[in-house]
Amino acid sequence: MIPLLVVVSMFSYFAARYEPLLAGIIALGTVIVVVWAIRRREYSWAVALLTIIVAFSPHFLETKIFLLIGIACIVTATMLLATFQLRPLAEV
């Protein structure tokens, strides 16, 4: 499914008047793969595919940039919390 999304996304700008429909299909397919990745606990794939959803969304470029910055901030904060989580010391 992922190779299909990559190939279709490369040719989406040649679709002329069908471009919005093709972008919607790409985004819908990516949402399905994101749900699949989350169920398999492959969160790095899910975050990477979220960028594809944002890139092919019908929003303005400024909105897309802020959405991508928001995703990057959430991922960074989550990684920091997971890294610096307090763990109880083992008693000797």
Side-chain angles (χ1 to χ4, degrees):
M1 182 81 163
I2 293 173
L4 178 69
L5 287 172
V6 171
V7 170
V8 171
S9 66
M10 287 190 318
F11 297 110
S12 68
Y13 293 107
F14 298 116
R17 65 184 182 144
Y18 296 108
E19 184 180 347
L21 177 64
L22 190 58
I25 291 171
I26 292 169
L28 180 64
T30 309
V31 167
I32 292 169
V33 177
V34 165
V35 170
W36 173 78
I38 290 173
R39 286 185 181 164
R40 291 187 52 143
R41 293 198 166 123
E42 296 182 11
Y43 300 114
S44 59
W45 274 104
V47 171
L49 291 169
L50 280 175
T51 59
I52 294 174
I53 293 173
V54 171
F56 285 94
S57 67
H59 300 293
F60 293 115
L61 180 61
E62 296 83 13
T63 307
K64 290 179 185 183
I65 290 171
F66 283 116
L67 283 172
L68 289 174
I69 290 172
I71 290 171
C73 289
I74 291 170
V75 168
T76 304
T78 305
M79 303 258 293
L80 285 171
L81 285 174
T83 303
F84 295 113
Q85 187 176 16
L86 294 176
R87 295 184 183 103
L89 294 174
E91 292 186 29
V92 180

